[in-house]
C-alpha cells in the first residue's frame, strides 16, 4: 500500500484499529522511504529487523483489542537515546562501537506502548549545535529548498535528523531532545511540530547527557494532535532519574478542545529584537491576530532579563557539559587512541579526547572548564546561575498576573544554507537560540508550530510557552494556532 508513510499518528492509529492497514505494512512503507532517502542523511543506524518484529507484535496486540494509541506507529529515535543492543553514539566519534546493554526510559515507555523503531537518527555531536553540522556522521540535509534553488539547507539542530525525517515522511514521528531549543528550532526550520515539555516531565535516564539541568526529551511530529498522543506515551515518573516528577500524566489529546476564549496570551516586548527580519515580525503579528480572533485576550508583557539569557545559557550549558563529558576517557567504552611507547594514562586521555571530540564539543568543554575554574567560578558560573533565577522569576510573575501562554517567534530566520555560518564567529550560530533558551533556563514547556512561509517558500514557526506542568493547556493553544494558520505545505521531493 503506497503512501502509508505520509500518514499522521492519529490517521495511522485509526486505520490500524479499523483493520484498513497493518503495522507491518506501515513499517515497510517507512523502511522503503528511509532506504530511498540516503541523500538526506537523517537515519544513521537502520534497524529493519527490530522494526518488523515490533510491527508484528503490535499487529497481534491490536488484534486483541487492547492496544494503546502509539501501538504499531513507526518512529525514528534520536541517536542520543540509548537503545539496547543498537549503536548509540550521540553523533560522536568518541562513542563509536558503543551498544548499550540497557534501554532509555523514554524509548522503553514508547516500546511498552507498542511503538516501532525504524532506526537511529542523526544529530549534532552530543547535541551541541544549531545546524546539524557537528555530527560524526556528516551533515543532515533539510528536505525543503528555497524555491528552485538547489542549495542544501540545514534542518536545524541538534535534533536535525529527527526534523528532517519527519518532514520528509520517512517516519510518522521521532524523538528529540531540547537543551536550548534543539526540538523547537529544527521543527520551525522543517515545518513540523516540536514540543519541549516541562523539565522533569520526561525521564532523562538513558539519554546521553549534555547539560543535565537543561536537557529534556520531547516528540517531533507532523501535527499538534500527534505531539499530544506521543508525548503522553513518553512521559512517566522514573525513580532512576532524581529530577523526574511524580505527577500524573494527563490525557493530552483530550485537552485539544480548540477553545481558548478568555485565555490571556502574553506578547513579550523584549523578543522584538533589533534587526529582526520583517517576515518574522509579520508572522508574529499574524499569529497574535489569530489568537485574538479565537477569543483570547492579548496582553503586552515584560520579561526584563531576557537579554541576559543567551550569555547565561552559554556559561551554564558548557559548564555542565565539561563535567558530563569528563567520563569519555577511552578507559571503559567507546574510542581509545593508539598510544606510542612510553605513553601513560594522561597521554591516553589527551589523545583519545582530541581524536574523539569534534571542534564544537572541544570548544564548549574548554569554555565550561574555564568558567568552573577556581578563579572564575564566581565571576561566571555563579553569576549565570543568579541570572537564571531572575529569568525564571520573570516568567513566574507573568503567569501570576494571569497569563496562560506566551507567544513568540521560534527562530530569528528561516533555514539557512549548510556551510553558510561555518566560517562565522561561533556566536552568530549561537544567536539561533535567542528565542528558545529562556524556556530551558526556566524549565518551562514550549512548543513550535509551523505558521507560515518566507519569500522563498521556506517554513517559519511560532513558539508558545506555557505554565509549568500545563502541557495540556499549551497543546490546546498550539492546536488553535495550527488550525488558524492552516499550514499544509510539504517540501517538493528531490531526494
Amino acid at each position: 500500500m503506497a503512501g502509508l508513510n505520509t500518514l499522521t499518528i492519529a490517521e495511522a492509529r485509526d486505520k490500524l484499529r479499523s483493520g484498513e492497514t497493518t503495522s507491518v505494512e506501515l513499517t515497510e512503507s517507512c523502511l522503503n522511504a528511509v532506504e530511498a532517502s540516503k541523500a538526506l542523511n537523517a537515519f544513521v543506524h537502520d534497524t529493519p529487523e527490530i522494526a518488523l518484529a515490533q510491527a508484528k507484535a503490535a499487529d497481534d496486540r491490536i488484534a486483541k483489542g487492547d492496544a494503546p494509541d502509539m501501538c504499531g506507529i513507526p518512529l525514528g529515535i534520536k541517536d542520543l537515546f540509548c537503545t539496547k543492543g543498537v549503536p548509540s553514539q550521540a553523533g560522536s566519534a568518541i562513542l563509536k562501537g558503543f551498544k548499550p546493554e540497557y534501554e532509555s526510559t523514554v524509548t522503553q515507555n514508547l516500546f511498552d506502548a507498542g511503538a516501532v523503531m525504524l532506526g537511529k537518527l542523526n544529530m549534532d555531536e552530543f547535541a551541541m549545535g544549531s545546524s546539524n553540522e557537528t555530527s560524526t556522521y556528516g551533515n543532515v540535509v533539510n528536505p525543503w529548498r528555497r524555491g528552485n534553488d538547489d542549495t542544501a539547507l540545514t534542518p536545524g539542530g541538534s535534533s536535525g535528523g529527527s526534523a528532517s525525517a519527519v518532514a520528509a515522511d520517512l517516519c510518522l514521528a521521532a524523538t528529540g531532545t531540547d537543551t536550548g531549543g534543539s526540538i523547537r528550532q529544527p521543527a520551525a526550520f522543517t515545518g513540523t511540530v516540536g514540543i519541549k515539555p516541562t523539565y522533569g516531565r520526561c525521564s532523562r535516564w538513558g539519554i546521553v547527557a549534555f547539560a543535565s539541568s537543561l536537557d529534556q526529551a520531547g516528540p517531533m511530529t507532523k501535527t499538534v494532535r500527534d505531539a499530544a498522543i506521543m508525548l503522553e506515551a513518553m512521559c512517566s515518573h522514573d525513580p532512576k532519574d532524581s529530577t523526574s516528577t511524580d505527577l500524573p500524566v494527563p490525557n493530552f489529546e483530550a485537552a485539544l478542545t480548540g477553545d481558548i476564549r478568555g485565555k490571556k496570551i502574553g506578547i513579550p516586548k523584549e523578543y522584538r529584537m533589533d534587526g529582526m527580519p520583517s517576515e518574522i515580525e509579520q508572522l508574529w503579528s499574524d499569529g497574535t491576530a489569530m489568537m485574538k480572533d479565537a477569543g483570547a485576550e492579548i496582553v503586552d508583557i515584560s520579561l526584563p532579563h531576557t537579554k541576559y539569557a543567551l550569555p547565561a545559557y552559554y556559561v551554564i550549558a558548557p559548564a555542565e557539559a565539561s563535567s558530563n563529558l569528563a567520563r569519555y576517557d577511552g578507559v571503559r567504552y567507546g574510542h581509545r587512541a593508539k598510544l606510542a611507547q612510553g605513553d601513560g594514562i594522561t597521554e591516553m586521555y589527551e589523545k583519545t579526547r582530541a581524536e574523539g571530540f569534534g571542534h564544537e564539543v572541544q570548544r564548549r568543554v574548554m569554555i565550561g572548564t574555564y568558567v568552573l575554574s577556581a578563579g572564575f567560578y564566581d565571576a561566571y558560573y555563579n553569576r549565570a546561575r543568579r541570572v537564571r533565577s531572575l529569568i525564571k522569576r520573570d516568567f513566574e510573575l507573568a503567569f501570576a498576573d494571569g497569563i496562560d501562554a506566551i507567544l513568540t517567534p521560534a527562530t530569528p530566520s528561516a533555514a539557512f544554507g549548510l556551510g553558510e555560518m561555518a566560517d562565522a564567529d561561533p556566536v552568530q550560530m549561537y544567536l539561533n537560540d535567542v528565542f528558545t533558551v529562556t524556556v530551558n533556563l526556566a524549565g518551562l514547556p514550549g512548543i513550535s508550530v509551523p505558521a507560515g512561509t518566507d519569500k522563498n517558500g521556506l517554513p517559519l514557526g511560532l513558539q508558545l510557552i506555557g505554565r509549568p506542568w500545563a502541557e495540556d493547556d499549551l497543546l490546546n493553544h498550539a492546536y488553535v494556532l495550527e488550525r488558524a494558520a492552516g499550514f499544509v505545505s510539504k517540501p517538493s521531493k528531490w531526494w
Side-chain angles (χ1 to χ4, degrees), residues 195-198 224 255-256 260 291 404-406 439 444-449 463-467 470-480:
I195 180 170
K196 182 206 88 74
T198 311
V224 171
L256 304 181
I260 60 166
M291 302 305 269
D404 294 288
I406 296 168
V439 178
L444 298 171
I447 187 169
S448 176
V449 179
Q463 174 179 231
L464 281 159
I465 303 166
R467 295 169 175 268
E471 289 87 358
D472 45 359
D473 282 346
L474 178 65
L475 283 158
N476 188 42
H477 282 85
Y479 180 59
V480 169

Side-chain angles (χ1 to χ4, degrees), residues 144 191 193 222-224 283 286-287 290-291 449-453 459-460 462 477-490:
W144 290 82
V193 174
K222 300 175 186 180
T223 68
V224 171
L283 183 81
D286 292 346
M290 291 173 198
M291 302 305 269
V449 179
T453 56
L460 298 170
L462 286 172
H477 282 85
Y479 180 59
V480 169
L481 182 60
E482 177 186 56
R483 289 202 303 179
F487 184 91
V488 293
S489 303
K490 297 288 286 184

Side-chain angles (χ1 to χ4, degrees), residues 202-214:
C202 283
S203 171
R204 291 183 299 108
W205 195 85
I207 300 174
V208 178
F210 165 13
S212 301
S213 74
L214 300 164

Side-chain angles (χ1 to χ4, degrees), residues 303 305 387-398 400 442:
L303 301 170
H305 295 95
V387 170
R388 180 182 191 170
S389 297
L390 293 171
I391 290 168
K392 188 169 184 287
R393 180 70 175 152
D394 286 348
F395 283 106
E396 288 170 351
L397 291 172

Side-chain angles (χ1 to χ4, degrees), residues 111-139:
F111 298 154
D112 287 348
V116 173
M117 178 175 71
L118 298 167
K120 303 297 285 292
L121 291 162
N122 205 344
M123 56 174 283
D124 278 300
E125 184 181 7
F126 285 107
M128 297 181 196
S130 302
S131 63
N132 225 129
E133 293 176 277
T134 69
S135 171
T136 189
Y137 309 118
N139 302 341

Side-chain angles (χ1 to χ4, degrees), residues 232-250:
E232 185 179 344
M234 291 173 68
C235 294
S236 67
H237 172 59
D238 183 8
K240 297 194 291 290
D241 175 4
S242 62
T243 63
S244 171
T245 187
D246 191 4
L247 283 176
V249 179

Side-chain angles (χ1 to χ4, degrees), residues 311-312 315-316 370-372 375-386:
V315 169
I316 292 168
Y370 178 80
V371 300
L372 289 175
F376 301 100
Y377 191 89
D378 281 334
Y380 291 104
Y381 185 65
N382 270 343
R383 183 175 294 181
R385 288 171 63 200
R386 288 195 291 273

Side-chain angles (χ1 to χ4, degrees), residues 227-278:
I229 295 167
M230 186 170 167
L231 180 62
E232 185 179 344
M234 291 173 68
C235 294
S236 67
H237 172 59
D238 183 8
K240 297 194 291 290
D241 175 4
S242 62
T243 63
S244 171
T245 187
D246 191 4
L247 283 176
V249 179
N251 182 334
F252 294 129
E253 188 183 11
L256 304 181
T257 63
D259 184 2
I260 60 166
R261 287 172 295 180
K263 298 285 188 180
K264 289 186 177 181
I265 306 296
I267 308 296
K269 65 180 184 182
E270 289 78 11
Y271 281 61
R272 298 190 188 283
M273 304 289 183
D274 290 339
M276 181 189 284
S278 58

